Amino acid sequence: MRKSKLYKLLTGTILATMLLAACNSEDAGSKTDKGSGEKEASDIEVVFIPKMTGNAFFESGNNGAQAMAEKVGFKVKYDGAPEGTVANQVQIINSAVNSGADAIAISSVSFDGLNQALQKALDAGIKVVTWDSDVDPKYRSAYINQGTPEILGKMLVDMAAGQLENPDDAQQVAWFYSSPTVPDQNSWVEYAEKYIAEKYPKWELVTKQYGEGNEQVSLQVGESILDTYPDIDVIICPDSTALPAMAQAAQNKGLDKDDVIITGFASPNSMRQYIEKGTIENHGLWDVTDQGALAVYIAYHLAQGNDLKVGDSVDVPELGKVTVEPNTIQGYDYEAEDSGIIVLPERIVFTKENTSDYDF
Amino acid sequence: MLKKIPKWNLVLLVTLISEIVIFGLINPRFWNMNVLLNSFNDFIGIAIIAFFVTFVIITGGIDISGGSIIGLTSVVAGISSQVMGLNIWLAVVLAIVVGGLCGLLNGLFIAYAKVQAMVITLGGMLLYSGIALVLVGISGASTYEGISGFSQGFINLANGKLFGILPHSVVLFIVVFIIAYILLHRTRYGRYIYLTGINQNAAEYSGIDTRKIITSTYVLSGLSAGLAGVILTSYLGSARADFGGEYLMPILTAIVLGGTLITGGKGGVVGTALACIIVGFLKLGLQMGGVQTQYIGLAIGLLLIISVAFLGIPNFKSNVSRLLGMKKSRGGNLNA
């Protein structure tokens, strides 16, 4: 009997607390409708969301983001979960909305899985920017893009061609990246093939292999490419798992850059040993610290109440002037004035000379 | 001993209230009713499964395949409605039935073939997530992007609000909780579950078909995982094979923290429900207090270890007080 009384009492307390909370809610809710352009820098909080934590690429992005925040004076909260799943990212977006953040800058794990959560964030007046990996352009203002398929596809081919004595001669070329379904890498390769057909029509594409983003699978695939095509001249790997695995496979077989040209995209930390040993001559990537810095700056810029329309340009401290380009440069159909793409001003080709200047 | 469980629920209730008070003081936005109610969306899938895995654990078994059944049922709902063109609500029913069948498969092996529950559900976990991936492959959708384009009606299933205030996830939480509560605590079936867990042989001798009871708990757990898969698909607006992949530990956390003994025979869904809310609010509160998501597991781990130490180790409290008492008396001796 006494117990049930205690229960009633406690239930009563909970209800009372919740009622009180409900009374409070209006006050708390009002913080979400942001004024126009009147906010102090230090009042603005940007939540910077990686695909997952504990990955060197995203941690470097965060280093750039934090440095930018410190310089300009706004706040950046780095918030990600160790497992990069849709449900985790949705929860992080929700908590950003709940805790009253002003903007989020996210590298999405899914093109469409975050739609509902992002819509709620937009409804709450939060600015949404994507970086590294995009969402449906309807649900964000700007995508901080490492490069369009055109830029990156051309870069891949040029890095390989630059190493050939006679790039116009016939060459055997192989592609090796993560999977036939991954959207960004496929779009680069598609453009690169177009570019090869125009500029180096004698090149022959002998095979296209996939490593599924798995280190062990990639190493096996890399070795099988070398076994199956002993006369191969160029192997291009636009994937951060495939490229080191391919270089390792060549090293295991005692091959170096004079025997076969291997190039592609991966972070300098993962490739430095192969460059220094001469297994490969060069490889490329964008500066992800710059990308993180630019992403949070654009998010901050929007949160201040500034509009960002296609064609506008923004002066970003340290990085210079960037321009908002239409979504069509990435191949999207969706065109709206307030949704666009900002391409990173530059990408880097890493060689023996400069690889030690970068740490990411 | 039976007194211990309700007392534990009381401890949970006090924990919950102090969470609400403390986090509210740290960030007043935590007291926003909408924020609290909407946060149910983030743990509704865990809660629905945890209610019925509680049944399984009370019989002395364990079901760790719930998380991967979510992925499978999500994919089934997605493929049957978006690729094969089945009516979405039929697809929902189909998905839940598939969840139930997975549970049935687990249950039959465990109850009738007497294979250890951990082994079977571990196999089930790998099998179901494997099937989900194969189905996605066959359907032609990309594994990376999932299946989307659901109707607004289906999206509203999880995202809508009753009377514009109460999120559907809260309603669902309450409804499933009531069903589980009545089944476990108010029916003969529920009593049989406890009896089976306390001593399967004794229950068998007293005329209870324990194999049926055990199988049925796995079926319920599978059905609830199917429901969770549908809700998650609706909530995220996309069907993916990897949904629920990280739910295994949160589900077991909720049950253990809720006071159900992992050895069976003792526990209840009230504790599970409170524990789900406690963990959910803890996550929310810490995030709103500015803690990075990657460190929140640490707080939940601490909560779990401390609470299980209190609950699981017999005479823990008296041991602690004896320890303290010893120190005191030793101090006294030194002084003397």
Side-chain angles (χ1 to χ4, degrees):
Chain A
M1 277 294 113
R2 268 187 63 218
K3 203 185 296 161
S4 76
K5 229 183 223 169
L6 198 55
Y7 264 108
K8 270 183 202 157
L9 196 76
L10 277 166
T11 326
T13 326
I14 291 191
L15 281 177
T17 322
M18 290 205 160
L19 270 177
L20 268 174
C23 298
N24 217 3
S25 63
E26 219 163 293
D27 171 44
S30 66
K31 206 190 152 198
T32 46
D33 36 325
K34 309 280 179 260
S36 52
E38 296 294 313
K39 294 204 82 167
E40 289 282 316
S42 57
D43 287 342
I44 290 180
E45 186 186 54
V46 178
V47 181
F48 186 70
I49 307 173
K51 275 188 186 162
M52 68 202 84
T53 53
N55 173 305
F57 178 84
F58 293 108
E59 301 297 322
S60 307
N62 178 44
N63 291 343
Q66 299 295 347
M68 175 63 80
E70 205 167 309
K71 194 172 302 144
V72 180
F74 60 100
K75 275 178 282 191
V76 166
K77 181 185 178 195
Y78 180 59
D79 202 357
E83 304 95 18
T85 64
V86 176
N88 281 341
Q89 285 205 321
V90 165
Q91 220 230 319
I92 289 164
I93 295 170
N94 287 345
S95 98
V97 176
N98 292 337
S99 52
D102 300 276
I104 57 180
I106 183 167
S107 167
S108 162
V109 295
S110 160
F111 187 74
D112 58 16
L114 306 176
N115 291 357
Q116 304 294 328
L118 291 175
Q119 187 57 53
K120 275 181 214 158
L122 293 169
D123 290 345
I126 291 176
K127 306 294 178 188
V128 179
V129 169
T130 54
W131 62 283
D132 174 53
S133 178
D134 201 7
V135 296
D136 191 328
K138 263 179 251 173
Y139 299 95
R140 51 104 175 119
S141 302
Y143 168 39
I144 313 304
N145 193 348
Q146 45 269 31
T148 59
E150 202 175 327
I151 295 173
L152 295 171
K154 184 170 177 295
M155 181 178 174
L156 286 170
V157 177
D158 288 344
M159 281 192 301
Q163 299 180 51
L164 289 163
E165 270 177 45
N166 302 306
D168 295 328
D169 289 353
Q171 309 285 347
Q172 289 196 1
V173 184
W175 289 108
F176 177 26
Y177 52 103
S178 71
S179 101
T181 54
V182 63
D184 50 351
Q185 295 172 8
N186 272 296
S187 67
W188 309 334
V189 171
E190 202 176 306
Y191 184 82
E193 286 177 350
K194 221 186 287 171
Y195 181 68
I196 290 174
E198 275 170 25
K199 200 161 180 207
Y200 307 110
K202 284 191 180 160
W203 287 21
E204 182 200 358
L205 172 63
V206 293
T207 184
K208 224 183 233 188
Q209 297 289 328
Y210 308 103
E212 302 300 335
N214 177 309
E215 286 165 30
Q216 210 175 337
V217 175
S218 297
L219 184 59
Q220 283 160 1
V221 172
E223 292 190 340
S224 81
I225 293 176
L226 294 173
D227 288 340
T228 325
Y229 305 96
D231 298 328
I232 194 101
D233 300 298
V234 176
I235 305 171
I236 309 178
C237 316
D239 170 53
S240 62
T241 313
L243 181 56
M246 191 65 236
Q248 184 65 49
Q251 208 173 68
N252 290 351
K253 295 199 179 297
L255 303 174
D256 64 19
K257 60 185 180 184
D258 298 326
D259 303 308
V260 54
I261 293 168
I262 297 168
T263 190
F265 293 148
S267 74
N269 284 353
S270 66
M271 296 307 296
R272 191 163 298 127
Q273 51 163 322
Y274 304 110
I275 285 195
E276 279 167 4
K277 280 190 193 146
T279 313
I280 65 165
E281 164 88 25
N282 66 13
H283 70 104
L285 200 70
W286 47 96
D287 189 333
V288 60
T289 43
D290 281 355
Q291 193 177 19
L294 182 57
V296 292
Y297 187 81
I298 297 296
Y300 158 77
H301 184 74
L302 289 165
Q304 272 188 317
N306 298 310
D307 282 335
L308 211 52
K309 291 201 171 59
V310 173
D312 287 356
S313 52
V314 186
D315 259 322
V316 183
E318 303 265 313
L319 298 173
K321 192 170 255 183
V322 294
T323 311
V324 184
E325 303 194 44
N327 286 324
T328 42
I329 60 163
Q330 188 70 14
Y332 295 133
D333 298 328
Y334 180 77
E335 277 185 89
E337 270 217 317
D338 56 353
S339 166
I341 290 176
I342 297 175
V343 180
L344 272 186
E346 63 174 17
R347 283 138 291 279
I348 311 159
V349 175
F350 301 98
T351 58
K352 208 166 193 167
E353 281 72 46
N354 69 356
T355 186
S356 52
D357 301 342
Y358 298 93
D359 181 23
F360 63 90
Chain B
M1 285 300 265
L2 272 173
K3 263 194 207 157
K4 207 173 189 175
I5 301 304
K7 219 191 255 170
W8 183 247
N9 287 345
L10 214 62
V11 173
L12 292 178
L13 207 56
V14 172
T15 314
L16 183 59
I17 293 169
S18 37
E19 256 185 12
I20 294 175
V21 172
I22 293 169
F23 287 130
L25 291 175
I26 295 172
N27 185 345
R29 293 171 62 88
F30 190 79
W31 282 335
N32 185 330
M33 200 62 189
N34 284 328
V35 169
L36 283 184
L37 290 180
N38 278 327
S39 77
F40 274 69
N41 275 319
D42 291 324
F43 58 83
I44 182 71
I46 295 168
I48 294 175
I49 300 179
F51 288 147
F52 291 97
V53 176
T54 306
F55 286 32
V56 171
I57 289 186
I58 291 174
T59 67
I62 193 162
D63 186 353
I64 57 175
S65 63
S68 56
I69 296 180
I70 288 189
L72 177 59
T73 52
S74 169
V75 167
V76 167
I79 289 179
S80 55
S81 68
Q82 301 307 112
V83 179
M84 290 160 54
L86 198 69
N87 176 295
I88 181 69
W89 303 109
L90 286 178
V92 165
V93 174
L94 178 70
I96 297 176
V97 169
V98 167
L101 288 178
C102 295
L104 183 66
L105 187 71
N106 287 341
L108 288 178
F109 272 110
I110 292 160
Y112 290 89
K114 306 254 184 238
V115 191
Q116 277 188 5
M118 177 69 107
V119 178
I120 288 297
T121 53
L122 179 66
M125 180 169 99
L126 302 172
L127 176 69
Y128 305 142
S129 52
I131 295 176
L133 278 175
V134 170
L135 282 180
V136 172
I138 291 173
S139 80
S142 106
T143 351
Y144 290 85
E145 287 314 328
I147 304 157
S148 59
F150 289 100
S151 65
Q152 197 55 41
F154 178 68
I155 300 284
N156 274 344
L157 181 66
N159 288 290
K161 287 182 174 181
L162 194 66
F163 311 125
I165 324 165
L166 217 52
H168 284 168
S169 55
V170 178
V171 179
L172 195 75
F173 182 91
I174 295 170
V175 169
V176 177
F177 167 70
I178 290 174
I179 294 172
Y181 181 83
I182 292 176
L183 267 183
L184 187 63
H185 298 287
R186 288 282 176 270
T187 62
R188 182 182 294 173
Y189 170 65
R191 273 206 306 285
Y192 286 175
I193 290 178
Y194 279 101
L195 291 174
T196 307
I198 291 165
N199 188 331
Q200 194 180 342
N201 288 334
E204 192 76 44
Y205 285 131
S206 48
I208 301 170
D209 188 346
T210 56
R211 287 180 299 188
K212 257 188 203 151
I213 297 288
I214 290 176
T215 311
S216 70
T217 58
Y218 287 94
V219 173
L220 282 174
S221 149
L223 286 172
S224 65
L227 179 63
V230 168
I231 294 299
L232 207 62
T233 308
S234 158
Y235 179 51
L236 301 172
S238 143
R240 291 168 67 104
D242 60 356
F243 279 167
E246 73 278 20
Y247 276 13
L248 168 61
M249 285 305 149
I251 290 169
L252 295 182
T253 306
I255 296 167
V256 174
L257 182 61
T260 299
L261 286 192
I262 208 83
T263 44
K266 222 168 283 156
V269 289
V270 183
T272 305
L274 286 170
C276 283
I277 304 177
I278 286 176
V279 174
F281 282 9
L282 181 68
K283 256 186 170 174
L284 179 76
L286 289 174
Q287 278 175 331
M288 292 181 68
V291 178
Q292 286 181 17
T293 307
Q294 55 174 333
Y295 300 121
I296 286 174
L298 195 122
I300 295 173
L302 272 179
L303 180 73
L304 190 66
I305 290 172
I306 294 169
S307 62
V308 172
F310 262 104
L311 187 74
I313 301 169
N315 308 324
F316 178 80
K317 261 189 284 181
S318 63
N319 280 344
V320 169
S321 55
R322 207 172 61 208
L323 217 65
L324 293 174
M326 259 166 65
K327 263 186 192 160
K328 208 186 266 170
S329 69
R330 198 182 287 157
N333 283 340
L334 278 173
N335 281 339

